[in-house]
Amino acid sequence: MSFEAWLIILAALVFDFVNGFHDAANSIATVVSTRVLSPRWAVAWAAFWNFIAFVLFGTAVADTVGKGTIEVGRVATVDVLLAALIGAIAWDLITWYFGLPTSSSHALVGGLAGAAIAYRGLEMLISSGITKIVLFIVLSPLIGMFLGILLMNLSLLIGHALTSRAKATNASVNWWFRKIQLFSAAAYSLGHGANDAQKTMGVIAAIILIDRGLPVEEFKVTLPIVLSAHAAIALGTMAGGWRIVHTLGSKITKLQPVGGVSAETAAAVTLFGTAHLGIPVSTTHTITGAVVGVGATRRLSAVRWGLTGRVAYAWLLTIPGSALIAAASYELLRVLPGEALVIAGFLAAGSWALLFLRRRAREAEATVFAPP
């Protein structure tokens, strides 16, 4: 492969890293906010089940992102994918700074769409794939919310039955739900791995395809691609996902173990279904919808609807926002050498990460996990 292709693959892994501290924290938000697991153990637990998802669900979502969103067979330059990654990374950093749990999946889809349109116009888009993704921007949080309400009510009925018939105390029931949450967190991480961890795999496979001039039929997600993508997203989670954990786990509504179990199970069921269909839905949208449903079960005022509205606006702006940044980036790449921009970007990002990111992450972590 060419030197430029290797650099863009590295950019894709940087996107996965950014995805990690922006989005993969969704895998641990509820289990950490209910204090069932410490942050570090939660990261290890989530990373393990994220990887196992590859074995159970295959790479259907990676195939959709890599060859079902834009006409990758008609792309003659990897600069298109570089511009898409720039758009997605920039949008993720902007929304991460404000602590908004927007979708990295949709940021990447928007980046791909914007760069492809700037490259050759609207005919580069695969309408069926884009339509499915846009449709599930609405459906995935609604399904998660509906299942969250259903499972929360069921869990409350079970808890009430145990306390009234088995003479169990509320504390003992709560203890059991804390243990059950380990399994619901594992199930959600499986769904997360089957969706979010795959999108960068599809982009890397597309980079290799374009760089080698191969036909679309040769598109393949290999084991080295899988391993590198999972490693990048796990490192990102450990680096700075706590800002999003704080928003999902405590700002939208206060969660107890019974609520954590209900939210995670509701989101997991939704993600299993979409992964089977190969639809790259937002795990962020899904778990947020489930958390809102759980909170609304107690009373509508238990949900901070003002913050939820801000999150919803960020969702709606994600695809057009990242698309505009990607389109502008592609136009810039046509003027300046791609390698120079990539190297300059890595140097700037590295300096920023060393001087700014870690300090912010530690401050946020101290806020989130301070003793109650």
Side-chain angles (χ1 to χ4, degrees):
M1 289 193 300
S2 67
F3 177 66
E4 184 180 11
W6 280 113
L7 284 175
I8 298 174
I9 288 174
L10 186 56
L13 294 176
V14 169
F15 169 74
D16 233 2
F17 180 88
V18 173
N19 186 171
F21 70 78
H22 180 282
D23 204 14
N26 301 336
S27 293
I28 63 172
T30 52
V31 75
V32 170
S33 63
T34 56
R35 302 183 187 276
V36 171
L37 286 176
S38 68
R40 301 307 171 195
W41 277 108
V43 168
W45 187 249
F48 173 77
W49 292 105
N50 266 272
F51 180 77
I52 294 298
F54 164 67
V55 178
L56 297 179
F57 291 97
T59 58
V61 174
D63 292 342
T64 298
V65 172
K67 61 180 180 179
T69 306
I70 65 172
E71 296 284 358
V72 68
R74 297 174 59 189
V75 177
T77 172
V78 289
D79 284 352
V80 173
L81 298 183
L82 174 58
L85 289 166
I86 292 172
I89 292 171
W91 185 260
D92 268 5
L93 290 175
I94 291 168
T95 52
W96 170 82
Y97 181 80
F98 291 104
L100 294 174
T102 56
S103 170
S104 294
S105 300
H106 293 151
L108 184 57
V109 169
L112 287 168
I117 291 171
Y119 175 62
R120 260 185 199 173
L122 289 171
E123 69 269 15
M124 289 295 295
L125 302 183
I126 298 177
S127 59
S128 58
I130 296 292
T131 300
K132 280 196 303 184
I133 293 168
V134 171
L135 180 63
F136 272 83
I137 290 177
V138 178
L139 289 181
S140 64
L142 290 179
I143 295 170
M145 183 169 64
F146 172 77
L147 291 176
I149 293 171
L150 181 66
L151 290 172
M152 184 62 177
N153 279 298
L154 181 61
S155 298
L156 291 174
L157 287 174
I158 293 172
H160 177 71
L162 288 174
T163 54
S164 60
R165 296 181 184 179
K167 297 183 179 180
T169 64
N170 288 332
S172 63
V173 171
N174 196 50
W175 182 88
W176 277 108
F177 273 109
R178 289 172 68 88
K179 301 304 178 185
I180 294 171
Q181 196 176 3
L182 290 173
F183 297 97
S184 64
Y188 179 73
S189 293
L190 275 173
H192 185 276
N195 282 269
D196 275 31
Q198 288 196 36
K199 56 184 174 288
T200 303
M201 302 177 199
V203 172
I204 293 174
I207 292 169
I208 295 171
L209 189 83
I210 294 169
D211 184 68
R212 294 178 175 174
L214 300 173
V216 176
E217 291 74 22
E218 296 293 322
F219 181 93
K220 187 177 181 181
V221 179
T222 60
L223 185 60
I225 294 175
V226 173
L227 295 176
S228 60
H230 277 294
I233 206 168
L235 288 172
T237 303
M238 290 185 286
W242 314 120
R243 295 170 72 87
I244 310 299
V245 171
H246 191 29
T247 298
L248 280 175
S250 61
K251 280 191 174 182
I252 290 178
T253 189
K254 296 294 183 182
L255 287 177
Q256 298 297 323
V258 61
V261 169
S262 302
E264 287 165 346
T265 305
V269 171
T270 305
L271 295 174
F272 290 164
T274 54
H276 177 72
L277 297 173
I279 303 172
V281 301
S282 169
T283 55
T284 310
H285 293 193
T286 306
I287 190 64
T288 303
V291 169
V292 169
V294 166
T297 301
R298 292 182 294 164
R299 62 184 188 279
L300 291 178
S301 61
V303 177
R304 298 178 182 176
W305 296 104
L307 176 62
T308 306
R310 283 179 56 208
V311 172
Y313 290 138
W315 289 354
L316 294 175
L317 292 173
T318 293
I319 289 182
S322 57
L324 286 173
I325 297 172
S329 299
Y330 178 73
E331 294 300 331
L332 187 61
L333 286 169
R334 293 175 61 182
V335 179
L336 298 175
E339 293 92 336
L341 282 180
V342 173
I343 293 171
F346 284 146
L347 290 174
S351 301
W352 175 79
L354 289 173
L355 298 175
F356 178 78
L357 175 60
R358 197 58 196 157
R359 179 173 61 85
R360 285 285 190 173
R362 285 173 178 167
E363 290 173 358
E365 185 175 353
T367 301
V368 175
F369 304 115

